[in-house]
Amino acid sequence: AHMSETDGGLTPALMSALDGGWGSRMWCVLEAYLSLVASPEGYLTDIYSVEDGHVRRLTDGLLQNDDGDDEYVGNKADRDKLFPLVVLMRMLLFALDSARVSEVKDGKNIMAHIGSRGAVVDATVRATFFVAALALLDQLPRELVDVGFVALAASHLRRVVVASIAISAGARLRLVQSLPAAYLQEIKLTGLGLCDADVKALGDRLGTAAPHLRVLWLFDNRI
């Protein structure tokens, strides 16, 4: 765990480092459950991977200087585009039921702890990586794009931040129609080219079904 420097200040966060087997082991499933589904309000999860000797990072939301000129930090869209595509694609197929365990007792205890929320874990893990993969949407196979949108709608994500990327009109509409309204506390969809029809669809999606929503950013769109 570490303190994440978000746009709201320092916040307790879990820093996950992905290796080639992350997500395929039962202890990874437990980490995903505790950090993405069962974590307390305000908890953030930053995810790191390594590609060709370079550290790549997915941040849970924006950093304090994402709008600045810091070459190391850059902005969220740049970070997402640099994250290994092969890892994003693999995590879009995350499945609790396929996780390996070396000790049967450990596996049973973890599954008992997760209980009936296994499908939520699958959807929320997939959705976490899919939101980042939106920056590389044109490089994803069609079937994985479909998997991602379905997962997003079924997830328990509390925060969806997508900024300054170019996606098609169909993808923009599908994005707002797939937001998990009942769980979201923060929505930041900036610089995506959203139009009035997209915002109407967003309003229809949220309606009175977003009791926890506190932040809604729609800056730099066509509305």
Side-chain angles (χ1 to χ4, degrees), residues 141-163:
R142 175 72 175 272
E143 58 271 20
L144 282 186
V145 173
D146 292 339
V147 166
F149 280 121
V150 170
L152 180 60
S155 75
H156 284 195
L157 286 184
R158 299 171 184 165
R159 183 180 299 100
V160 171
V161 178
V162 187

Side-chain angles (χ1 to χ4, degrees), residues 1-14 40-46 60 159:
H2 73 302
M3 299 299 287
S4 180
E5 188 180 2
T6 67
D7 58 344
L10 295 177
T11 307
L14 177 73
E41 183 175 345
Y43 201 86
L44 303 176
T45 301
D46 288 353
D60 195 350
R159 183 180 299 100

Side-chain angles (χ1 to χ4, degrees), residues 71-91:
E71 294 180 359
Y72 176 75
V73 175
N75 60 50
K76 187 176 187 331
D78 290 337
R79 290 193 299 275
D80 291 350
K81 290 175 183 177
L82 289 173
F83 203 79
L85 181 62
V86 65
V87 176
L88 294 174
M89 293 173 63
R90 176 164 56 83
M91 297 311 299

Side-chain angles (χ1 to χ4, degrees), residues 96-163:
L96 183 154
D97 290 343
S98 64
R100 303 190 308 270
V101 61
S102 55
E103 296 290 338
V104 175
K105 181 180 179 181
D106 290 342
K108 289 182 178 180
N109 288 338
I110 291 172
M111 291 299 292
H113 188 65
I114 293 173
S116 62
R117 289 177 282 188
V120 172
V121 175
D122 284 351
T124 304
V125 170
R126 293 177 183 182
T128 298
F129 287 88
F130 180 64
V131 169
L134 287 169
L136 301 166
L137 202 60
D138 60 344
Q139 299 181 47
L140 290 179
R142 175 72 175 272
E143 58 271 20
L144 282 186
V145 173
D146 292 339
V147 166
F149 280 121
V150 170
L152 180 60
S155 75
H156 284 195
L157 286 184
R158 299 171 184 165
R159 183 180 299 100
V160 171
V161 178
V162 187

